């Protein structure tokens, strides 16, 4: 995790080529319906196309839910090559402010390792972000805290980088095998609120809030997890 691979020019390699990938081990601890649930996932970002005429790229986000050996997948997400807003890549690590979908401010730095902090609200939901990144530009850890109305931590989601060809061009993705897609696993078909569905109807070819996308993944899997636990205990 602490290796500082750079490209041949000595600068981080942006996600500007098809096949760029970054998988993250994801551990989720969430309070739901007066119970505490733990989910273990693998989040996989994979660049599928680069549009050089307008400096954008398309990528897919796939979540392997290790608890259930199931897969959730997104539709195509568009982002900016030079300054991604949603893809987990920070080309200008060390700058005091990073302009992303959620604006990040430099919290601390030590020997080319940087910690950034950001905060946003989705309705009444407060989210706090901590990005740990070095000179490669690929975060080696990300922590997202969901804060309740009384200031308590409702959920804690930690992403830990597994490997990436943006860090080391020789790396290859290692993904779980024999996982099955969940019913209606395409994100625009998930059974969630009307407001979120309306927002996600525009997912193909348009920018959407990555925060909302991640929340939906967590929310749906926690509901599935809770339902299964209740069924097994009855």
């Amino acid at each position: 995790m602490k290796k500082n691979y750079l490209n041949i020019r000595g600068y981080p390699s942006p996600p500007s080529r098809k096949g760029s990938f970054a998988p993250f081990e994801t551990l989720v601890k969430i309070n739901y319906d007066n119970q505490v649930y733990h989910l273990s996932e693998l989040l996989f970002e994979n660049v599928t196309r680069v549009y050089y005429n307008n400096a954008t790229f398309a990528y897919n986000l796939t979540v392997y839910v290790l608890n259930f050996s199931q897969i959730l997948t997104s539709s195509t997400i568009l982002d900016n090559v030079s300054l991604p807003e949603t893809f987990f890549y920070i080309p200008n690590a060390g700058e005091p402010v990073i302009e992303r979908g959620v604006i990040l401010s430099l919290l601390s730095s030590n020997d080319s390792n940087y910690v950034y902090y950001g905060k946003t609200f989705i309705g009444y939901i407060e989210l706090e972000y901590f990005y740990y990144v070095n000179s490669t530009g690929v975060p080696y850890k990300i922590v997202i805290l969901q804060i309740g109305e009384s200031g308590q931590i409702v959920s804690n989601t930690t992403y830990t980088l597994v490997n990436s060809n943006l860090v080391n061009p020789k790396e290859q993705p290692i993904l779980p095998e024999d996982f099955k897609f969940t019913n209606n696993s395409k994100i625009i078909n998930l059974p969630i609120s009307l407001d979120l569905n309306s927002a996600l109807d525009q997912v193909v070819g348009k920018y959407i809030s990555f925060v909302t996308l991640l929340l939906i993944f967590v929310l749906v899997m926690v509901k599935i997890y809770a339902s299964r636990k209740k069924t097994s205990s009855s």
Side-chain angles (χ1 to χ4, degrees):
M1 299 300 176
K2 296 183 179 180
K3 296 179 181 179
N4 290 318
Y5 294 105
L6 300 178
N7 65 14
I8 58 175
R9 294 184 179 180
Y11 297 97
S13 301
S16 57
R17 57 188 171 85
K18 182 178 179 180
S20 298
F21 68 88
F24 291 82
E25 291 181 346
T26 308
L27 297 177
V28 184
K29 178 181 178 181
I30 188 168
N31 296 309
Y32 177 76
D33 196 21
N34 297 320
Q35 296 288 329
V36 177
Y37 298 96
H38 298 267
L39 293 177
S40 180
E41 303 171 346
L42 180 70
L43 183 147
F44 184 66
E45 296 177 310
N46 181 42
V47 176
T48 56
R49 189 169 182 178
V50 179
Y51 303 91
Y52 294 101
N53 58 334
N54 60 359
T56 60
F57 68 97
Y59 73 96
N60 287 339
L61 176 67
T62 303
V63 176
Y64 295 82
V65 187
L66 305 183
N67 300 70
F68 309 131
S69 298
Q70 293 181 334
I71 301 173
L72 286 168
T73 185
S74 76
S75 298
T76 300
I77 302 170
L78 288 182
D79 210 342
N80 185 279
V81 168
S82 59
L83 192 62
E85 291 192 0
T86 59
F87 192 88
F88 285 159
Y89 177 77
I90 298 176
N92 48 353
E95 293 293 322
V97 177
I98 304 296
E99 297 287 343
R100 289 177 57 84
V102 175
I103 297 176
L104 302 175
S105 299
L106 185 62
L107 193 62
S108 65
S109 62
N110 180 25
D111 192 25
S112 297
N113 287 276
Y114 309 98
V115 181
Y116 283 92
Y117 172 78
K119 179 189 291 188
T120 189
F121 291 85
I122 300 178
Y124 295 103
I125 300 174
E126 177 185 342
L127 297 169
E128 294 187 353
Y129 299 79
F130 297 86
Y131 277 66
Y132 299 78
V133 61
N134 53 28
S135 56
T136 66
V138 181
Y140 55 87
K141 184 170 75 170
I142 300 169
V143 177
I144 302 178
L145 303 178
Q146 179 182 340
I147 310 299
E149 294 183 11
S150 302
Q152 79 279 17
I153 296 177
V154 177
S155 69
N156 182 329
T157 304
T158 301
Y159 303 87
T160 304
L161 180 67
V162 178
N163 65 346
S164 175
N165 58 2
L166 295 171
V167 176
N168 179 359
K170 296 182 180 180
E171 293 282 9
Q172 296 292 327
I174 302 175
L175 301 175
E177 297 181 355
D178 300 324
F179 275 40
K180 296 181 180 180
F181 286 92
T182 60
N183 293 333
N184 297 324
S185 64
K186 289 295 183 180
I187 193 68
I188 56 174
N189 293 327
L190 289 174
I192 49 182
S193 73
L194 179 60
D195 290 341
L196 286 179
N197 274 329
S198 297
L200 290 170
D201 281 343
Q202 307 301 321
V203 71
V204 179
K206 296 184 179 180
Y207 170 76
I208 65 170
S209 169
F210 193 49
V211 178
T212 304
L213 188 61
L214 293 179
L215 279 179
I216 291 167
F217 280 141
V218 172
L219 176 62
V220 170
M221 292 319 302
V222 166
K223 286 185 176 180
I224 293 173
Y225 197 11
S227 176
R228 289 188 176 188
K229 290 197 71 173
K230 288 179 180 179
T231 300
S232 61
S233 61
S234 60

